[in-house]
C-alpha cells in the first residue's frame, strides 16, 4: 500500500532512459560485431529481464550505474536454455525473433501476469518463416531449433513488438523478409537497424530486411517518453510550469502529447536534435495555474497506436476534466499486464464517474469534481499504479493497494519529489492481512505520505537477516512467529513486541488494542473473572493488561504446558468456573469449537477475524456483545501508526469497519 497527499515537487531532470530503446539496444548489441556501449539505461525490472535472457544466450552484459557494456553472443548454448522474461512482453516477443534466427532451443517463461498475455500474435508470423514452436504448460512457449526462410508477413494486429520480432528474425535469413503494417506503429527497431548498417528498407507501410552484419552501438539513450508522460500529466493537471530535458521525440510515440495539445494543454518541444538515429529534445509544459482551459480529450485510432502505453493515463487525466472524452479502438488495452479497460472503469467508479466500453471504443464521462482519499486497486500493473498515483496527488490525496513502479520506472517517486515513510508488517504468512488497508485509512485521515508492505519471512530466517529486514523500515508491525524473537533481538522491556520503529522503543500495542476495543463497547473488566483462550503473543499481552486490572483469569490452551508457563509467569492460579467474559486468541480449530460456554458469560472477544468461530456464533445466538478481531486490529494498528508518525491516536474505528464490509461485499 502507498498513500499520497496532495504534496509533490516535480524533479524534471530525472534520468530515465527510454525502455523501448534500451530493450532494442541490448538485443542488437548482443548481435553486433564488436563491443557496444549504451548510456542512460534505466535498470527497470523489464530491462533487467532482457539483459538476463541475453546473458543466458551467451552475451556478456555489464551494468555500471546507468552505463551498460555489451559483448555480443559468440558461442550459442548447446542445451535447451530457459529464458525468464519476468513481467516483460517486450522481452518475450522480441527475443522470440532472435532465438528463432539463432536456431537455439529455448523455453520462454514469465511471471503470472505475462503468462496471460497473448503470444499467438508473434508465434504465427514466425511460424510462417519456418520457426518451430511448441506450446507447453508452465511456460509461454518453447522454440525448437529450425532454419528460417524469407516470407511476406501481413500484420494481423497493430503491434511494434510483433513487427520487431519478424525484423529481428529476418536478420538471419538470406532471402528477403517483408512486413506489411495495417497502420504505422513505433519504428525504433527500423531506425536502430538502419543506424547499425542493416540491410533494411522502409517504404510506406512496408518494411523489408535480409541477412545483415551489424555495427556495435555507442549510444546515449534519450529519456523515456512514456515515463516522462506521468510528470507532464501532473504538471498539466496542477497547472504548473515544467521542462523535461532530453526526451525521446519519435513521432510514433507522441500521441499522448498531440492529444493533450488538441485538448488545450500548452505543451511544446524545444532543443530538438537527433540522437542515435532518433529525434530527441525538451518537453515544455507552460502551466498557467488555470486547469479549466482543458477541453474534452479525444484520441483517434492512430493516436491510440502512437500512445498505447499512455491511453490509461489520458483516460485517468480525463476524469479531472468536465465533459465526455472518447478513445477510439482501444481493444488492445484488454491484453496488457492487466485488462486496462477494466482498470480504467475501476478508477472511474472510485471517483464516482463513468467509463463506458462498447467492445471497441472507450468513453469517459466526468463532471470534473473528484473526491479525494479514495482507495485504488493497481491490478498488479505498474502503469495503472502510476496513473492512480498521479490522480491521487492531483485531487489532494489517495491510496493504492500496491506500487510496482520498479517494473518500468524505478525513479517514479523521485521524479514526483516524494519520499514516503516506509512502514510494514513481517510474519510467516501475512499476504492476506487487513493491515495495509487499515494503514491506508489511517494515513489518509492523518495526511501522511507513506507506504505499508507485507513481508512473508521463513520461520528459520537467520537473526542477521531478520535484523536486516527490520532496519529497512521506518516502522514495522511484527506478528507470529517473530514477536518473542524480535523482542529478544532488540532488548525490549516486554517479552513480546508487535511494534518497532526508528525512533520508538520496541513494544506491544496488542494490549492497548484489546482494552480500547472493550472500552468502546462500554465493557468494564476491572476485577472480573475471565477466560483467556490461547497462549501466544497477543494472549500474553492481554494477560499482562488484565492482571494489572485485578482480574481473575483462567488460561485455556490446546498445549497445556504453554498455559502453565504463562500461569507461572504471571502468578495465575486456580480455575474460573463462572467467567463473565471469554477472550479468544486462537484461530478456528477443534479445540476452540469444543470449549464449553458457561451461562455466566456476558461478552466474547474473538481476535481472529478470518474464519468461523464457534464462540462468536454461540455469543450471537445468546444476543451477547461480540468484539470482533477487526476492532482489536484497528486500535492496535492506530496506536502503532501514532507512534511511528508522532501523531494523535485515531480512536474511531467505525469508518474502517464499514470499509472492510464494503470490500467484502465487492
Amino acid at each position: 500500500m502507498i498513500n499520497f497527499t496532495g504534496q509533490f515537487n516535480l524533479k524534471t531532470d530525472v534520468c530515465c532512459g527510454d525502455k523501448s530503446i534500451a530493450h532494442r539496444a541490448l538485443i542488437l548489441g548482443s548481435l553486433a560485431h564488436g563491443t557496444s556501449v549504451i548510456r542512460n539505461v534505466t535498470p527497470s525490472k523489464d530491462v533487467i529481464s532482457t539483459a538476463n535472457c541475453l546473458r543466458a544466450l551467451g552475451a556478456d552484459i555489464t551494468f555500471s550505474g546507468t552505463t551498460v557494456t555489451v559483448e555480443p553472443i559468440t558461442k550459442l548454448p548447446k542445451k535447451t536454455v530457459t529464458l525468464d522474461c519476468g513481467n516483460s512482453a517486450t522481452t518475450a516477443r522480441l527475443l522470440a525473433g532472435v532465438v528463432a534466427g539463432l536456431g537455439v532451443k529455448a523455453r520462454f517463461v514469465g511471471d503470472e501476469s505475462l503468462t496471460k498475455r497473448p503470444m499467438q500474435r508473434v508465434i504465427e508470423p514466425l511460424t510462417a518463416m519456418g520457426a518451430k514452436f511448441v506450446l507447453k504448460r508452465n511456460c509461454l512457449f518453447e522454440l525448437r531449433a529450425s532454419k528460417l526462410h524469407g516470407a511476406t508477413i501481413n500484420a494481423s494486429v497493430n503491434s511494434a513488438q510483433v513487427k520487431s520480432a519478424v525484423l529481428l528474425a529476418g536478420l538471419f535469413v538470406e532471402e528477403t523478409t517483408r512486413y506489411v503494417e495495417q497502420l504505422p506503429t513505433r519504428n525504433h527497431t527500423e531506425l536502430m537497424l538502419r543506424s547499425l548498417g542493416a540491410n533494411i528498407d522502409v517504404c510506406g507501410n512496408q518494411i523489408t530486411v535480409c541477412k545483415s552484419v551489424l555495427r556495435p552501438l555507442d549510444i546515449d539513450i534519450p529519456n523515456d517518453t512514456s515515463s516522462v508522460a506521468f510528470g507532464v500529466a501532473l504538471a498539466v493537471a496542477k497547472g504548473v510550469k515544467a521542462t523535461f530535458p532530453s526526451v525521446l521525440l519519435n513521432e510514433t510515440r507522441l500521441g499522448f502529447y498531440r492529444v493533450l495539445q488538441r485538448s488545450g494543454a500548452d505543451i511544446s518541444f524545444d532543443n530538438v536534435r537527433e540522437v542515435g538515429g532518433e529525434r530527441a529534445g525538451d518537453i515544455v509544459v507552460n502551466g498557467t495555474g488555470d486547469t479549466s482551459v482543458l477541453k474534452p480529450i479525444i484520441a483517434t485510432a492512430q493516436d491510440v497506436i502512437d500512445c498505447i502505453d499512455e491511453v490509461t493515463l489520458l483516460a485517468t487525466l480525463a476524469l479531472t476534466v468536465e465533459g465526455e472524452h472518447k478513445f477510439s479502438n482501444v481493444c488492445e488495452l484488454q491484453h496488457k499486464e492487466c485488462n486496462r479497460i477494466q482498470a480504467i472503469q475501476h478508477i472511474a467508479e472510485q471517483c464516482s464517474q463513468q467509463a463506458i466500453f462498447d467492445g471497441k471504443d472507450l468513453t469517459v464521462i466526468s463532471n470534473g469534481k473528484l473526491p479525494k482519499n479514495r482507495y485504488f486497486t493497481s491490478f498488479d500493473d505498474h502503469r495503472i499504479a502510476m496513473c492512480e498515483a498521479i490522480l491521487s496527488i492531483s485531487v489532494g490525496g489517495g491510496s493504492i493497494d500496491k506500487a510496482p513502479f520498479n517494473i518500468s520506472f524505478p525513479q517514479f517517486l523521485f521524479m514526483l519529489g516524494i519520499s514516503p515513510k516506509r512502514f510494514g508488517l513481517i510474519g510467516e504468512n501475512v499476504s492476506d492481512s487487513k493491515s495495509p488497508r487499515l494503514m491506508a485509512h489511517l494515513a489518509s485521515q492523518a495526511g501522511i505520505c507513506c507506504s505499508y508492505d507485507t513481508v512473508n519471512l521463513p520461520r528459520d530466517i537467520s537473526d542477521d537477516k531478520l535484523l536486516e529486514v527490520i532496519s529497512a523500515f521506518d516502522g514495522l508491525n511484527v506478528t507470529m512467529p517473530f514477536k518473542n524473537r524480535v523482542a529478544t533481538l532488540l532488548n525490549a522491556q516486554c517479552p513480546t513486541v508487535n511494534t518497532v520503529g526508528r525512533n520508538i522503543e520496541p513494544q506491544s500495542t496488542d494490549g492497548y488494542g484489546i482494552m480500547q476495543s472493550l472500552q468502546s463497547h462500554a465493557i468494564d473488566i476491572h476485577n472480573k473473572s475471565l477466560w483467556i483462550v490461547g497462549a501466544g503473543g497477543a494472549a500474553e499481552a492481554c494477560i499482562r493488561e488484565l492482571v494489572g486490572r485485578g482480574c481473575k483469569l483462567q488460561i485455556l490452551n490446546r498445549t497445556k504446558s504453554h498455559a502453565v508457563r504463562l500461569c507461572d509467569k504471571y502468578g495465575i492460579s486456580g480455575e474460573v468456573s463462572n467467567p463473565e467474559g471469554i477472550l479468544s486468541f486462537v484461530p478456528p480449530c477443534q479445540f476452540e469449537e469444543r470449549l464449553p460456554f458457561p451461562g455466566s458469560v456476558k461478552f466474547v472477544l474473538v481476535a481472529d477475524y478470518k474464519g468461523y468461530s464457534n464462540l462468536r456464533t454461540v455469543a450471537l445466538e445468546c444476543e451477547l456483545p461480540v468484539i470482533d478481531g477487526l476492532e482489536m486490529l484497528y486500535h492496535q494498528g492506530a496506536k502503532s501508526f501514532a507512534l511511528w508518525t508522532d501523531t494523535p491516536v485515531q480512536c474511531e474505528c467505525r469508518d474502517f469497519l464499514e470499509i472492510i464490509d464494503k470490500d467484502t461485499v465487492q
Side-chain angles (χ1 to χ4, degrees):
M1 179 284 299
I2 184 166
N3 183 70
F4 294 95
T5 66
Q7 301 299 311
F8 70 98
N9 181 23
L10 277 175
K11 297 185 183 301
T12 59
D13 59 346
V14 61
C15 293
C16 53
D18 188 86
K19 190 157 63 82
S20 293
I21 302 292
H23 283 297
R24 289 158 173 82
L26 289 170
I27 291 170
L28 294 179
S30 298
L31 302 179
H33 282 233
T35 302
S36 294
V37 179
I38 311 164
R39 289 171 290 275
N40 196 30
V41 176
T42 298
S44 66
K45 288 186 177 181
D46 281 357
V47 170
I48 296 299
S49 291
T50 292
N52 287 338
C53 288
L54 290 167
R55 288 179 178 127
L57 291 170
D60 185 359
I61 300 175
T62 304
F63 280 76
S64 178
T66 59
T67 298
V68 181
T69 303
V70 181
E71 297 292 345
I73 299 168
T74 56
K75 187 177 181 181
L76 297 175
K78 294 181 179 180
K79 297 181 179 180
T80 302
V81 61
T82 296
L83 303 181
D84 187 350
C85 304
N87 186 253
S88 176
T90 302
T91 303
R93 292 177 181 146
L94 268 61
L95 287 183
V98 172
V99 171
L102 289 171
V104 174
K105 186 178 180 182
R107 181 172 176 266
F108 286 69
V109 299
D111 67 12
E112 183 179 356
S113 171
L114 187 58
T115 59
K116 298 175 183 177
R117 303 284 296 275
M119 293 295 159
Q120 198 63 33
R121 58 180 56 183
V122 76
I123 291 173
E124 289 179 356
L126 292 176
T127 298
M129 296 176 67
K132 294 180 180 179
F133 285 87
V134 178
L135 300 181
K136 292 185 175 182
R137 284 186 176 184
N138 302 320
C139 71
L140 304 173
F141 50 79
E142 190 173 289
L143 261 167
R144 300 287 174 83
S146 58
K147 183 174 176 60
L148 301 185
H149 54 75
T152 295
I153 306 298
N154 292 297
S156 59
V157 292
N158 298 311
S159 169
Q161 292 176 355
V162 175
K163 174 178 64 175
S164 296
V166 171
L167 297 180
L168 290 170
L171 294 174
F172 299 88
V173 180
E174 297 288 352
E175 305 96 342
T176 296
T177 299
R178 179 176 290 103
Y179 191 84
V180 184
E181 296 192 277
Q182 298 174 354
L183 291 170
T185 60
R186 60 180 65 175
N187 60 355
H188 304 308
T189 302
E190 298 96 295
L191 291 174
M192 192 173 292
L193 283 173
R194 181 182 291 164
S195 71
L196 299 181
N199 294 317
I200 185 170
D201 182 64
V202 180
C203 183
N205 65 338
Q206 294 190 40
I207 307 104
T208 57
V209 67
C210 57
K211 193 166 185 176
S212 303
V213 175
L214 304 180
R215 294 190 294 268
L217 296 92
D218 188 338
I219 183 175
D220 290 275
I221 298 179
N223 283 331
D224 187 80
T225 312
S226 299
S227 297
V228 167
F230 291 98
V232 170
L234 183 57
V236 169
K238 301 300 289 185
V240 300
K241 295 180 181 292
T243 299
F244 299 85
S246 302
V247 184
L248 180 72
L249 298 181
N250 184 300
E251 285 294 334
T252 64
R253 296 282 297 281
L254 297 181
F256 172 81
Y257 302 95
R258 289 197 302 267
V259 170
L260 282 183
Q261 286 170 330
R262 290 202 305 265
S263 299
D266 191 349
I267 299 172
S268 59
F269 307 121
D270 194 12
N271 193 25
V272 178
R273 58 202 182 278
E274 186 173 301
V275 177
E278 292 276 4
R279 186 167 167 261
D282 305 339
I283 297 178
V284 182
V285 182
N286 298 297
T288 62
D290 181 9
T291 58
S292 63
V293 298
L294 288 183
K295 300 176 295 185
I297 296 174
I298 308 296
T300 66
Q302 185 62 59
D303 290 329
V304 168
I305 290 173
D306 291 346
C307 66
I308 189 62
D309 288 333
E310 293 82 55
V311 172
T312 48
L313 181 56
L314 283 170
T316 303
L317 192 58
L319 293 169
T320 68
V321 180
E322 182 180 2
E324 187 171 301
H325 315 269
K326 292 187 178 295
F327 304 87
S328 299
N329 199 15
V330 294
C331 304
E332 181 66 16
L333 293 182
Q334 298 174 100
H335 308 296
K336 294 292 185 178
E337 281 80 344
C338 72
N339 184 329
R340 289 181 180 168
I341 296 294
Q342 292 181 357
I344 293 168
Q345 291 174 321
H346 159 76
I347 296 170
E349 182 180 358
Q350 290 296 92
C351 294
S352 303
Q353 310 300 329
Q354 288 183 282
I356 303 164
F357 180 56
D358 64 7
K360 180 181 178 182
D361 302 333
L362 176 70
T363 302
V364 174
I365 303 173
S366 176
N367 60 16
K369 300 174 182 178
L370 306 188
K372 69 176 184 177
N373 292 333
R374 295 302 174 132
Y375 185 80
F376 299 105
T377 299
S378 70
F379 299 93
D380 291 318
D381 187 317
H382 53 112
R383 293 195 189 278
I384 295 301
M386 289 189 284
C387 288
E388 292 165 340
I390 297 302
L391 183 62
S392 295
I393 297 168
S394 297
V395 301
S399 301
I400 309 169
D401 65 341
K402 296 179 182 178
F405 307 138
N406 284 353
I407 288 175
S408 64
F409 192 5
Q411 292 179 292
F412 175 66
L413 293 177
F414 175 82
M415 181 184 70
L416 302 181
I418 292 173
S419 300
K421 291 286 186 182
R422 191 182 181 198
F423 306 135
L425 168 69
I426 59 170
E428 191 173 33
N429 185 17
V430 294
S431 297
D432 296 328
S433 172
K434 302 291 186 187
S435 291
R437 191 68 179 92
L438 167 60
M439 293 302 169
H441 172 71
L442 295 171
S444 64
Q445 294 293 103
I448 301 290
C449 182
C450 64
S451 64
Y452 190 92
D453 302 313
T454 55
V455 183
N456 291 309
L457 298 176
R459 184 180 291 260
D460 60 353
I461 186 173
S462 69
D463 287 350
D464 287 344
K465 286 290 185 183
L466 183 55
L467 289 171
E468 183 180 328
V469 171
I470 293 171
S471 67
F473 289 84
D474 296 299
L476 199 63
N477 286 134
V478 182
T479 189
M480 298 303 291
F482 300 112
K483 289 186 173 185
N484 298 89
R485 188 172 166 194
V486 169
T488 301
L489 287 173
L490 299 183
N491 299 313
Q493 297 299 310
C494 52
T496 66
V497 303
N498 77 338
T499 303
V500 299
R502 296 193 191 283
N503 302 310
I504 64 171
E505 288 294 322
Q507 59 195 275
S508 175
T509 63
D510 284 336
Y512 172 86
I514 295 162
M515 295 303 114
Q516 192 68 32
S517 298
L518 294 169
Q519 182 178 324
S520 66
H521 286 263
I523 295 174
D524 180 12
I525 46 81
H526 283 80
N527 303 314
K528 296 294 191 299
S529 297
L530 304 168
W531 278 1
I532 306 298
V533 182
E540 183 171 358
C542 177
I543 290 167
R544 286 200 305 274
E545 293 284 345
L546 297 176
V547 168
R549 287 168 170 76
C551 295
K552 184 178 181 182
L553 306 177
Q554 180 176 346
I555 304 173
L556 300 95
N557 193 60
R558 181 172 52 189
T559 305
K560 290 185 178 180
S561 61
H562 294 171
V564 171
R565 178 185 63 81
L566 288 179
C567 287
D568 292 343
K569 185 173 183 177
Y570 292 98
I572 299 170
S573 60
E575 295 185 355
V576 174
S577 57
N578 295 302
E580 294 185 49
I582 301 176
L583 295 88
S584 174
F585 300 93
V586 298
C589 59
Q590 287 187 348
F591 174 78
E592 189 259 11
E593 192 169 340
R594 292 171 180 171
L595 286 172
F597 197 95
S600 58
V601 172
K602 297 178 181 178
F603 74 90
V604 168
L605 181 149
V606 179
D608 189 90
Y609 55 83
K610 296 177 182 177
Y612 169 78
S613 164
N614 186 62
L615 290 173
R616 180 191 290 116
T617 299
V618 175
L620 291 174
E621 289 174 350
C622 296
E623 299 183 348
L624 297 176
V626 175
I627 296 89
D628 189 81
L630 281 173
E631 295 182 55
M632 176 180 160
L633 173 71
Y634 176 88
H635 291 296
Q636 68 189 37
K639 180 67 172 179
S640 297
F641 186 83
L643 289 168
W644 295 331
T645 58
D646 194 25
T647 57
V649 181
Q650 299 173 43
C651 294
E652 180 55 62
C653 71
R654 186 181 299 110
D655 289 346
F656 172 66
L657 297 178
E658 289 177 356
I659 287 169
I660 296 300
D661 285 342
K662 182 180 178 182
D663 288 348
T664 302
V665 170
Q666 291 177 339

